Amino acid sequence: MRRCRPGRPLPAFLRATVIAGALSALALAVACSKQPGGDAPPANKRLVVGFSQIGAESGWRTANTKSIKDEAEKRGVDLRFSDAQGDQENQVRALRSFIQQQVDVIAVAPKTEEGWQEVLEEAQRAGIPVILTDRLVRVDDDSLYVTFIGSDFVEEGRRAGQWLADQTGGTAVIAELQGTPGAAPTIDRKKGFEEIVARHPGMTIVKSQSGNFERSKGKEVCEAFMRSPEGPQITALYAHNDDMALGAIQAIAAAGRRPGEDVLVVSIDGVRDAFQAMLDGTLNCTVECNPLLGPQLFDTIEAVRRGERVPKRILTTEGVYDRSQVTAETLASRQY
Ligand code: GYE
């Protein structure tokens, strides 16, 4: 269990179960090994992994980077880490550089879904397996990547919507802060949430705009929501991540409304600051999305290097936290 500290029992609702989504396992051994005949590499050769990260836009991302770096160090992996500073073109350049360096495996957290076909083909031609972590891409041929390790973002959106429907008896005037345009979690979290809204005629989304997964942008966009003609009617804010919700909470308060009371706030991630806000009473609910993907990522990379088959989709399961469940102890036990 990745989030349970050894020797320290946690409440049942904190115990996250990591499940390997046993979906269609593809024969990956051939694509995943540069050895003739698919033989595993010599055991004493240090594994070289190139990892392209999106940037540092949120608390989630910072925790994700740390998890991956820590795990690489623990396992003695030579990690070539590249921070794209929020620019997908830098990610494509990083992948090309990893190909040139002939790394053993490439891992990437792709900023948006589109724009990966060509560079993934280049990696495939070079015989370098690519693992998608955190976010999915849209490509013509899914043999261009070995597996996708990450959360079910549609389900997260549904969970946020369901929480709001339950809380309000299906009546809410909603403002939505979307994540980065074109990013898998933005598209999917919107979709899942809208599915639930569509089932409740009393729930309407009156505002929806991107806050780019950033706290400052979330605040700025929410200020505009509050100033708009619909502003005074808004009774709920749904943010695609905690950071934007935390920015929005400031904007709601500045507009003279009580966040958590006059305007219910629900978001996704479950970072420590969100738990603090739930304790303070300004955030109502966070849907967990676990960033601690390092152990799972390197387990998968090592399996690929051994020539083993891995599932095409590796899923993490996560919980939903309502502020009524949150205590100082819950906050203290959060690892991110
Ligand atoms: O929710 C957000 C981050 O891709 C799941 O990206 C990730 C999202 C996460 O910046 O906080």
Side-chain angles (χ1 to χ4, degrees):
M1 237 62 15
R2 289 167 304 152
R3 275 169 301 157
C4 296
R5 288 179 186 153
R8 181 154 179 204
L10 291 173
F13 75 98
L14 270 181
R15 257 178 257 135
T17 316
V18 176
I19 53 165
L23 304 179
S24 60
L26 281 181
L28 299 160
V30 177
C32 301
S33 172
K34 289 191 282 178
Q35 310 298 311
D39 294 338
N44 58 358
K45 187 188 169 289
R46 195 167 178 219
L47 180 64
V48 182
V49 175
F51 173 53
S52 164
Q53 179 61 291
I54 297 170
E57 74 281 3
S58 64
W60 190 101
R61 186 71 47 205
T62 310
N64 179 247
T65 296
K66 183 172 183 316
S67 169
I68 290 168
K69 284 186 172 173
D70 286 356
E71 196 61 26
E73 202 184 326
K74 201 165 117 194
R75 299 187 190 212
V77 171
D78 177 358
L79 182 71
R80 316 264 164 98
F81 178 84
S82 169
D83 179 342
Q85 304 190 326
D87 184 346
Q88 185 165 306
E89 282 178 25
N90 288 338
Q91 291 199 285
V92 173
R93 271 193 285 276
L95 259 58
R96 294 210 163 107
S97 148
F98 296 150
I99 295 169
Q100 236 173 16
Q101 294 169 48
Q102 297 185 297
V103 300
D104 296 312
V105 177
I106 291 173
V108 54
K111 181 178 175 186
T112 70
E113 288 189 344
E114 305 291 343
W116 296 96
Q117 182 80 25
E118 211 177 302
V119 71
L120 294 190
E121 281 172 2
E122 292 167 26
Q124 190 171 64
R125 275 198 297 276
I128 302 175
V130 175
I131 294 178
L132 304 179
T133 173
D134 166 29
R135 298 183 184 175
L136 192 59
V137 297
R138 213 173 273 277
V139 282
D140 296 346
D141 169 8
D142 70 5
S143 78
L144 291 174
Y145 60 86
V146 177
T147 184
F148 164 46
I149 305 173
S151 305
D152 181 340
F153 300 133
V154 178
E155 182 55 27
E156 290 171 350
R158 285 191 201 111
R159 288 179 181 165
Q162 196 54 55
W163 178 87
L164 191 58
D166 293 345
Q167 281 303 303
T168 60
T171 307
V173 179
I174 305 159
E176 177 184 32
L177 280 170
Q178 298 184 34
T180 301
T186 303
I187 296 165
D188 292 353
R189 287 172 180 170
K190 183 163 182 51
K191 182 169 172 233
F193 187 82
E194 282 175 348
E195 264 179 38
I196 305 296
V197 168
R199 289 186 209 149
H200 296 87
M203 289 173 86
T204 44
I205 301 174
V206 293
K207 288 275 160 198
S208 185
Q209 209 179 306
S210 171
N212 214 29
F213 284 130
E214 294 163 16
R215 195 176 294 208
S216 56
K217 192 77 186 153
K219 178 168 180 267
E220 190 187 308
V221 174
C222 189
E223 280 165 359
F225 287 168
M226 290 294 135
R227 278 196 307 266
S228 72
E230 298 89 343
Q233 276 82 53
I234 293 169
T235 60
L237 181 102
Y238 165 49
H240 290 189
N241 82 341
D242 289 339
D243 280 82
M244 292 190 295
L246 294 165
I249 283 169
Q250 296 175 37
I252 294 166
R257 316 274 310 277
R258 287 171 307 166
E261 303 295 332
D262 304 329
V263 181
L264 300 184
V265 184
V266 54
S267 59
I268 299 177
D269 275 354
V271 295
R272 183 176 284 273
D273 286 357
F275 277 77
Q276 183 61 58
M278 286 194 286
L279 271 183
D280 298 343
T282 53
L283 179 71
N284 298 84
C285 176
T286 186
V287 174
E288 190 177 37
C289 177
N290 191 350
L292 307 181
L293 302 180
Q296 239 175 335
L297 174 62
F298 287 100
D299 281 350
T300 308
I301 289 174
E302 284 170 7
V304 165
R305 286 294 286 158
R306 288 192 298 270
E308 291 171 18
R309 289 165 183 235
V310 297
K312 196 72 188 174
R313 177 80 169 91
I314 299 175
L315 201 57
T316 52
T317 53
E318 291 127 350
V320 175
Y321 298 90
D322 180 278
R323 73 179 179 190
S324 62
Q325 292 172 296
V326 177
T327 62
E329 202 196 5
T330 328
L331 176 63
S333 70
R334 296 299 293 173
Q335 286 186 43
Y336 58 92

